[in-house]
Amino acid sequence: DAMVIQNPRYQVTQFGKPVTLSCSQTLNHNVMYWYQQKSSQAPKLLFHYYDKDFNNEADTPDNFQSRRPNTSFCFLDIRSPSLGDAAMYLCATSPRLAGGTDTQYFGPGTRLTVL
Amino acid sequence: AQKVTQAQTEISVVEKEDVTLDCVYETRDTTYYLFWYKQPPSGELVFLIRRNSFDEQNEISGRYSWNFQKSTSSFNFTITASQVVDSAVYFCALSEAYNQGGKLIFGQGTELSVKP
């Protein structure tokens, strides 16, 4: 089945130790998004890629970076995790961008713990 | 400014009861899209419905129905004959058609608990 896959589902890292979360999709969608969701809060968009074009939200900390080496994969790098970065990280995809809004389809998320 | 308000933080019902989740939105755009997502305890956001601003027809899908009223800027979601499996957090979201990136503006979510 076509889907959005996130690995790992649970990630534990130490304060200040870089960590990478991965997302892959078999939907062949142009757009991939990364959201951060803290406990009992709504998801918050960090950035998105439209093909290879990277779009950062204005309030996304510099500590968060992303890479999209090809259509299928997108990575979220947290360069120096702090305790406040502990959250669920959700990846989503949508078919395209312009002229309207397509539905975003979400992966199962990676729950990050920072010790 | 865009905003989505889900005033009900938590709702608890007994199985087979009907329940309505409220969603009120604000936008200056004339073209926009509204969504509902379900987030069960596993964490994945499951897409339920997408509505554009020009289509005010109500929709029914099985036990789920949605009432879109532009006059009151509301997009409410009703579950008929609720089941324990409906227990989840439900998010209403707004996206403006010309907003770069198709950014979703989420409400704070309503946690629905359906007890047997």
Side-chain angles (χ1 to χ4, degrees):
Chain A
D1 288 344
M3 58 177 59
V4 182
I5 303 160
Q6 291 188 244
N7 286 307
R9 294 293 308 277
Y10 299 90
Q11 176 74 57
V12 180
T13 191
Q14 292 180 334
F15 181 93
K17 184 175 181 182
V19 65
T20 294
L21 311 182
S22 74
C23 177
S24 64
Q25 53 129 343
T26 60
L27 298 162
N28 205 32
H29 284 173
N30 290 331
V31 193
M32 295 186 77
Y33 305 82
W34 278 104
Y35 288 83
Q36 179 193 62
Q37 186 181 23
K38 295 188 177 180
S39 182
S40 300
Q41 295 184 19
K44 177 179 177 298
L45 182 64
L46 295 173
F47 27 58
H48 76 272
Y49 272 96
Y50 179 44
D51 285 338
K52 292 187 180 298
D53 292 334
F54 177 71
N55 297 272
N56 202 28
E57 291 297 299
D59 56 355
T60 297
D62 292 340
N63 196 29
F64 292 86
Q65 304 286 322
S66 186
R67 297 169 283 133
R68 189 179 185 187
N70 53 52
T71 301
S72 300
F73 285 87
C74 194
F75 300 98
L76 169 62
D77 301 310
I78 308 177
R79 293 192 295 190
S80 182
S82 65
L83 298 179
D85 296 330
M88 173 77 91
Y89 289 88
L90 294 161
C91 175
T93 72
S94 71
R96 55 181 166 79
L97 188 61
T101 295
D102 286 308
T103 299
Q104 293 182 27
Y105 297 93
F106 286 80
T110 295
R111 190 170 296 281
L112 178 68
T113 300
V114 182
L115 301 177
Chain B
Q2 327 94 311
K3 186 179 178 182
V4 176
T5 301
Q6 295 179 253
Q8 306 147 308
T9 306
E10 297 178 12
I11 301 177
S12 183
V13 299
V14 176
E15 209 169 17
K16 298 184 183 177
E17 283 185 25
D18 299 346
V19 58
T20 295
L21 310 182
D22 297 333
C23 173
V24 174
Y25 62 92
E26 296 176 30
T27 177
R28 293 179 186 167
D29 279 10
T30 55
T31 304
Y32 53 89
Y33 298 81
L34 296 165
F35 301 82
W36 276 95
Y37 284 88
K38 173 183 180 180
Q39 188 173 40
S42 60
E44 180 175 358
L45 275 167
V46 178
F47 166 72
L48 296 178
I49 189 171
R50 169 174 173 248
R51 251 306 175 248
N52 74 56
S53 52
F54 299 109
D55 183 1
E56 282 193 77
Q57 276 196 331
N58 293 331
E59 181 153 340
I60 298 175
S61 176
R63 296 184 297 108
Y64 295 171
S65 62
W66 290 270
N67 183 291
F68 176 26
Q69 292 196 344
K70 287 179 75 171
S71 60
T72 56
S73 298
S74 65
F75 186 44
N76 296 337
F77 173 30
T78 297
I79 302 174
T80 303
S82 59
Q83 299 176 3
V84 173
V85 293
D86 296 327
S87 298
V89 180
Y90 291 86
F91 288 97
C92 180
L94 163 73
S95 183
E96 295 165 335
Y98 301 104
N99 182 292
Q100 186 179 9
K103 181 177 179 177
L104 286 173
I105 308 298
F106 285 93
Q108 283 304 104
T110 297
E111 183 171 6
L112 174 64
S113 177
V114 182
K115 300 188 186 309

